[in-house]
Amino acid sequence: MDSILGSNWLLAVISVISGILLGYLFGGFIVPRLAKTLTKDQLDTNHPLYTALLSLVRFSFFIFGLYTALRFLKLEDSSEEKISLYLKVFGILVFTFSFARVGSGAFTLYSSKAEGLLPSASILNNIVRMLILLTGGLVALQTLGISVTPALTALGVGGLAFALGLQETLSNLFAGLGVLLGKKVSVGDYISLETGEEGLVEDINWRTTSLKKRNGSTIIIPNAKMSKTTYTNYSLTNTGLWTELEISIPKEGNLEKLESILGQVANFSLTQIYGKGGYNESKISFRYVSFGQSNIDLVLHLPLKNIDDSGQIKSVFIKSLHSQFRSEGIDNISANTVK
């Protein structure tokens, strides 16, 4: 026992354990205050930035415990210098990964608060993380005495071969950046592709764009294809968004009475969805499109606030129209929905 105490190994172990315990003890005390200072807000404990800050504080105490343990061991100068160097490199790598998580969490937080000014897609988040990791890796190499200049020169010479080997990947990467920075589509937008597929943009990562369809399935599109395809973005500011229904009526029908019924049902349906006064009544319109041997076809325009409301409004309208026609004794009328 005296031998163990004399060699200070017990104190060294106690230092490491104390560092771990203090990290867990003070982490819950320091992080909420640190997070509030940085963000001016109260973060949820499950938020990526909160967990990243928590791991950073805990690792800081752990590294401090390791340095204290090294001082207690009182090793030979050469051994202590070598271990101290490796410990410094280990600390740099640990803090690099921690700061990468903090940077990623901060990007997630501020992109959600930027109201569309800062894209929230994971492609930019990953770029922020990779830049921090690359910087930390270069600092670690420099600390070990390895000159980073020849390495950077070699990367410059081999960059062309690397780019040729990853041509498709780089094409998707830059195409994804182009889609995001063009600010014509972002995460959360509802878009429709020229192929007829449509959905909510879930994410734009380094290789693909993910669309969530209404049935819950996911469409995966390479960014290079996404940048070249034609799509309609229903989430961009648009005062002329509407849905249409084609209605066919018999020629002998009373058009004025029909228009009055359609107007009443349209107002009733929109009120059910948006509430009274929650829509622009003047945007409801009729347009006659064809005059057949027995029928007259017209198109009814119903204004929308959001493209996702289209299906619900159509359902309410058709059900209400059917009920109104039955009460009026009107037959031989059909309605088809068009996008």
Side-chain angles (χ1 to χ4, degrees):
M1 186 68 178
D2 293 338
S3 175
I4 295 177
L5 290 173
S7 63
N8 292 318
W9 279 99
L10 180 60
L11 292 176
V13 172
I14 291 175
S15 297
V16 175
I17 296 176
S18 297
I20 296 174
L21 293 177
L22 288 173
Y24 276 87
L25 179 63
F26 286 100
F29 176 79
I30 296 174
V31 172
R33 290 157 179 79
L34 180 61
K36 192 169 185 178
T37 301
L38 294 175
T39 65
K40 311 299 182 184
D41 199 1
Q42 190 73 32
L43 284 181
D44 185 85
T45 54
N46 293 323
H47 193 280
L49 179 56
Y50 186 96
T51 57
L53 289 172
L54 190 61
S55 66
L56 177 61
V57 171
R58 288 174 176 173
F59 276 126
S60 299
F61 278 97
F62 175 62
I63 297 297
F64 177 75
L66 288 176
Y67 269 105
T68 306
L70 182 62
R71 294 294 177 265
F72 277 125
L73 289 177
K74 295 180 180 180
L75 302 173
E76 296 181 359
D77 291 343
S78 58
S79 299
E80 183 175 346
E81 183 178 351
K82 184 179 295 186
I83 295 176
S84 180
L85 175 62
Y86 292 147
L87 185 57
K88 186 182 295 185
V89 172
F90 174 72
I92 291 172
L93 293 177
V94 167
F95 283 119
T96 296
F97 280 100
S98 296
F99 278 117
R101 290 187 61 194
V102 170
S104 176
F107 181 88
T108 301
L109 176 67
Y110 288 113
S111 63
S112 65
K113 290 185 175 182
E115 297 181 356
L117 298 177
L118 185 62
S120 58
S122 63
I123 183 173
L124 295 182
N125 197 329
N126 289 333
I127 289 176
V128 170
R129 185 180 300 179
M130 290 303 299
L131 287 176
I132 295 175
L133 292 176
L134 179 61
T135 302
L138 292 177
V139 172
L141 290 175
Q142 195 70 39
T143 303
L144 286 171
I146 302 174
S147 178
V148 298
T149 304
L152 293 176
T153 303
L155 285 175
V157 173
L160 180 60
F162 180 78
L164 290 174
L166 296 177
Q167 185 175 2
E168 183 178 352
T169 300
L170 293 175
S171 174
N172 285 316
L173 173 63
F174 288 111
L177 287 174
V179 170
L180 273 179
L181 298 179
K183 294 187 177 181
K184 296 302 181 184
V185 63
S186 58
V187 175
D189 287 353
Y190 193 94
I191 65 174
S192 174
L193 306 178
E194 62 180 341
T195 56
E197 298 169 314
E198 60 183 55
L200 194 71
V201 180
E202 277 193 313
D203 190 23
I204 302 176
N205 59 35
W206 60 275
R207 188 174 182 275
T208 62
T209 297
S210 304
L211 299 185
K212 191 75 162 183
K213 298 178 67 175
R214 292 184 179 180
N215 61 7
S217 60
T218 301
I219 305 173
I220 306 297
I221 310 166
N223 290 332
K225 182 178 179 181
M226 184 68 186
S227 66
K228 297 176 182 178
T229 191
T230 301
Y231 55 85
T232 302
N233 190 339
Y234 296 102
S235 299
L236 292 177
T237 303
N238 185 356
T239 58
L241 192 63
W242 68 79
T243 188
E244 297 180 347
L245 293 100
E246 286 185 353
I247 300 175
S248 181
I249 61 174
K251 285 199 300 185
E252 62 272 12
N254 187 328
L255 296 184
E256 292 183 358
K257 182 179 180 180
L258 176 64
E259 289 183 6
S260 176
I261 293 175
L262 291 176
Q264 292 174 16
V265 175
N267 280 292
F268 173 79
S269 303
L270 292 168
T271 301
Q272 293 296 305
I273 304 302
Y274 298 128
K276 189 173 182 180
Y279 61 95
N280 190 344
E281 186 176 344
S282 64
K283 294 293 184 179
I284 301 174
S285 62
F286 308 92
R287 177 167 53 90
Y288 292 94
V289 294
S290 65
F291 189 90
Q293 292 184 350
S294 59
N295 293 325
I296 297 176
D297 297 327
L298 62 87
V299 174
L300 170 65
H301 291 184
L302 298 175
L304 300 176
K305 287 185 176 181
N306 191 305
I307 189 62
D308 291 335
D309 301 332
S310 175
Q312 190 176 5
I313 289 177
K314 288 176 181 179
S315 178
V316 174
F317 179 87
I318 293 173
K319 184 178 179 180
S320 302
L321 185 63
H322 178 262
S323 177
Q324 188 67 27
F325 279 169
R326 290 188 64 182
S327 65
E328 296 286 344
I330 301 175
D331 298 317
N332 300 325
I333 294 182
S334 60
N336 296 316
T337 60
V338 274
K339 202 170 178 182

